[in-house]
């Protein structure tokens, strides 16, 4: 029975990742069209007609999905990617070239294992804690995974075997290790604030007041983490590693077909991951303001899960809107922001939080 | 429960590989990596012995070894970069001049 | 548990051999990453959870990324000198074996005499942190000074010198 529960948890977590990533893909495609005053994908499936009476509702749904671009962005893109030629550049190890996309995606997917996705509940006599792995180090595990994520990118840039890929890989790894420091410090200040490493306990501590209002400087940690999140996903104004006007596509220039799709999926999963971390740390997780859900009921857990997903989607959409609004930073501006602005602010913030905790 | 001796044997093997690497490799960065290998072998035996003895002092020692390794990486790589600037190579046999 | 140990030990030894034996320095570095990760798994198996995480953050996440970064920046691929003679490699191997032979009695006698402690130490974040900030607080502060010196030293060494 324990194994069955574990398998169900794995299934649910995997679906949450895939669901969030695919919704983000759709929002990115249609949302960017909305922002740029275009229409966006609206062709595939939009002209499905049928004469069979029973199939009319199906055709109606397909037509609307097509007009909204869902079929185009989710189905057609995937099928196209699967059938494209799988290209490996000359002069690199084929194994390394295949390894890179997985190294880029693995840490993101593994990080989801420790995120609590709903309040704990009891069903059929089993007490279920909707978190795949409960480990002692808790939030530190997220930092560890974040630091491994650099390898996929660096490897992709190196195995591309051309200068643009290598430059993209170098830029990406430099950017990621620079911003990791500020991320670590702001997460440490959150740990000091709650006095625990366990994400589950952190969300429980926010049942009456959201984390962002619990300490006078919590909003500073939130802003730092949000900026760092956008820099770590290498999007938004921080997309120097893949800047198409300078480096073709940066570190994944040489990737095509399914391997490119894996990078693409990892990028959106990472957006969802950072949104989830922000929601769990600062915005109350599954807690609804001024409403107290009963503890232990399965329907309360379901509502909590939906609330959590809604909040996560809000931050995903916010990141996508920022990505399509702001122009790209210059490289020195990027480094100055990371080292001379975010890092000192994060340090001072940590000191303030620690001082408030002690006195 | 795996006996502690297994961990110690593994650590000895790893340490030996590190020594052999330092002796036979001539790329300064690879030599540096072999030193890291040796440090890790020692760390492993520290943690294993910490369990054997039953207190945490060994783990604290590993923490400080990691601190030293991080400092060593920063300075060592800086030295390798300045070696590359003066000798145009990172082979240890090319670093044979006193003035740079 | 024992099966897991032997599996991880195998990965650890193969990757350690890979570090020493591969001609390409970047392959060496990637093998070393595999090695460090399996050491982290070993730490977790020995209940040193905090050290396992720190191992990943510090070694795999910081030191090895720095090494890879330097390797890519300098763009050195193969060692450009002819490989060492078989004689030298053989001698080095013999030296290694001699070293191992020296360790064997040490492993057999010294540690077999110490009884396995009944207390199963848990290297959780709380326990290690408590020890680090009470009994070992002075070395901890000294370590921060060491890192400060290393940062300054690294900047001074890697900075381009302008000849007067």
């Amino acid at each position: 029975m324990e194994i069955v529960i574990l398998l169900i948890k794995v299934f649910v977590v995997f679906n949450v990742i895939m669901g969030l990533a695919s919704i983000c893909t759709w929002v990115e495609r249609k949302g960017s069209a909305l922002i740029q005053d275009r229409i966006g994908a609206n062709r595939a499936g939009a002209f499905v007609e049928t004469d069979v009476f029973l199939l009319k509702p199906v055709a109606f749904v397909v037509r609307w999905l097509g007009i909204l671009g869902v079929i185009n962005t989710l189905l057609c893109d995937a099928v196209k990617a699967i059938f494209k030629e799988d290209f490996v550049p000359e002069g690199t190890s084929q194994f390394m070239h295949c390894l890179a996309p997985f190294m880029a995606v693995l840490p993101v997917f593994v990080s989801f294992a420790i995120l609590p996705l709903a309040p704990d509940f009891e069903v059929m006599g089993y007490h279920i804690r909707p978190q795949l792995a409960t480990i002692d180090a808790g939030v530190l595990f997220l930092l560890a995974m974040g630091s491994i994520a650099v390898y996929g990118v660096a490897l992709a840039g190196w195995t591309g075997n051309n200068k643009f890929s290598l430059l993209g890989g170098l830029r990406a790894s430099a950017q990621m290790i620079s911003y990791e420091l500020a991320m670590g410090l702001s997460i440490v200040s959150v740990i000091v604030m709650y006095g625990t490493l366990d994400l589950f306990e952190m969300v429980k501590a926010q049942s009456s007041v959201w984390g962002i209002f619990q300490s006078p400087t919590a909003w500073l940690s939130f802003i730092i983490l949000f900026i760092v999140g956008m820099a770590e996903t290498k999007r938004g104004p921080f997309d120097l590693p893949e800047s198409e006007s300078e480096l073709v596509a940066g570190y994944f220039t040489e990737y095509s077909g399914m391997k490119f799709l894996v990078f693409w999926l990892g990028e959106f999963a990472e957006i969802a991951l950072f949104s989830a971390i922000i929601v769990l740390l600062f915005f109350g997780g599954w807690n609804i303001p001024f409403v107290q859900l009963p503890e232990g009921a399965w329907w309360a857990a379901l509502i909590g899960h939906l609330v959590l997903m809604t909040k996560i989607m809000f931050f995903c959409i916010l990141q996508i809107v920022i990505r399509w609004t702001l122009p790209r930073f210059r490289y020195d501006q990027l480094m100055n922001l990371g080292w001379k602005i975010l890092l000192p602010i994060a340090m001072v913030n940590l000191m303030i939080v620690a001082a408030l905790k002690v006195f | 429960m795996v006996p502690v001796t297994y961990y110690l044997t593994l650590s000895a093997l790893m340490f030996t590989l590190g020594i052999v690497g330092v002796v036979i490799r001539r790329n300064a960065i690879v030599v540096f990596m072999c030193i890291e290998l040796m440090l890790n072998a020692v760390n492993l035996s520290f943690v294993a012995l910490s369990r054997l003895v039953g207190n945490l002092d060994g783990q604290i020692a590993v923490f400080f070894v990691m601190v030293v390794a991080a400092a060593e990486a920063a300075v060592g790589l800086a030295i390798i970069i300045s070696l590359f600037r003066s000798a145009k190579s990172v082979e240890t046999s090319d670093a044979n001049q006193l003035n740079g | 548990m024992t099966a897991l140990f032997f599996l991880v030990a195998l990965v650890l030894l193969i990757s350690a051999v890979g570090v020493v034996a591969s001609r390409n320095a970047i392959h060496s570095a990637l093998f070393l990453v595999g090695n460090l990760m399996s050491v982290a798994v070993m730490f977790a198996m020995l209940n040193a959870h905090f050290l396992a995480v720190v191992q990943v953050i510090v070694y795999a996440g910081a030191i090895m990324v720095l090494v890879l970064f330097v390797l890519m920046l300098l763009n050195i691929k193969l060692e450009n000198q002819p490989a060492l003679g078989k004689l030298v490699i053989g001698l080095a191997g013999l030296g290694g074996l001699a070293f191992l032979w020296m360790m064997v009695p040490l492993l057999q006698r010294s540690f077999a005499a110490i009884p396995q402690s009944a207390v199963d130490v848990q290297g959780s974040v709380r326990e290690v942190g408590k020890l680090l900030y009470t009994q070992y607080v002075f070395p901890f502060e000294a370590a921060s000074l060491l890192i400060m010196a290393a940062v300054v030293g690294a900047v001074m060494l890697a900075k381009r010198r302008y000849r007067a």
Side-chain angles (χ1 to χ4, degrees), chain A residues 263-281:
Chain A
F263 272 117
W264 173 262
L265 191 72
E267 193 175 304
F268 285 106
E270 208 171 351
I271 298 175
L273 176 68
F274 270 101
S275 310
I277 294 173
I278 284 168
V279 169
L280 289 172
L281 292 183

Side-chain angles (χ1 to χ4, degrees), chain A residues 93 96 103 136-137 140-141 143-145 147-148 150-151 154-155 158 161 166 170-171 173-174 177 180 195 197, chain C residues 24 26-27 30 33 37 49-50 53 56-57 59-61 64-66 68-69 72-73 75 77 123-126:
Chain A
S93 141
M96 295 290 179
M103 289 287 281
D136 171 63
L140 290 183
F141 183 77
L143 288 179
M145 286 301 123
S147 59
I148 299 180
V150 185
Y151 286 110
L155 213 57
W158 179 61
N161 204 17
L166 189 66
L170 284 177
R171 279 188 185 181
S173 40
I177 45 181
E180 227 148 65
L197 284 169
Chain C
N24 191 331
I26 291 190
H27 288 178
L30 292 172
V33 175
M37 298 301 267
H49 301 292
F50 175 64
V53 174
V56 175
I57 295 178
Y59 265 114
M64 287 320 292
V65 171
L66 216 60
L68 262 185
F69 199 79
M72 287 179 179
L73 205 66
N75 203 12
K77 288 200 172 144
S124 63
V125 183
R126 186 175 294 273

Side-chain angles (χ1 to χ4, degrees), chain B residues 41-58:
Chain B
V42 175
N43 282 354
L44 184 58
S45 63
F46 260 131
V47 176
L49 288 173
S50 144
R51 196 181 73 174
L52 183 70
V53 183
N55 66 34
L56 278 174
D57 291 353

Side-chain angles (χ1 to χ4, degrees), chain C residues 5-79:
Chain C
F5 172 81
F6 280 113
L7 189 71
V8 179
L10 194 69
V11 175
L12 195 147
L13 284 178
I14 289 175
S15 53
V17 171
V19 175
V20 177
S22 39
R23 295 266 292 156
N24 191 331
I26 291 190
H27 288 178
S28 275
L30 292 172
F31 272 121
L32 187 54
V33 175
N35 186 285
L36 299 171
M37 298 301 267
S38 39
V39 171
V41 176
M42 289 276 172
F43 284 174
M45 282 164 69
L46 285 162
N47 287 335
H49 301 292
F50 175 64
L51 284 183
V53 174
V54 172
Q55 170 95 0
V56 175
I57 295 178
V58 173
Y59 265 114
I63 297 181
M64 287 320 292
V65 171
L66 216 60
V67 170
L68 262 185
F69 199 79
V70 169
L71 279 173
M72 287 179 179
L73 205 66
L74 304 184
N75 203 12
I76 13 173
K77 288 200 172 144
L78 298 174
E79 298 191 357

Side-chain angles (χ1 to χ4, degrees), chain B residues 5 7-19 38 41-42 45, chain C residues 95-112:
Chain B
T5 326
Y7 288 103
L8 294 174
T9 314
L10 190 66
S11 148
L13 281 170
M14 205 165 132
F15 193 87
T16 313
L17 280 168
I19 290 182
M38 282 150 69
V42 175
S45 63
Chain C
L97 281 181
F99 183 78
L100 265 184
W101 182 69
M102 218 166 65
M103 299 272 243
V104 170
L106 200 70
L107 285 173
Q108 276 176 341
R109 265 181 253 139
S110 316
F111 297 123

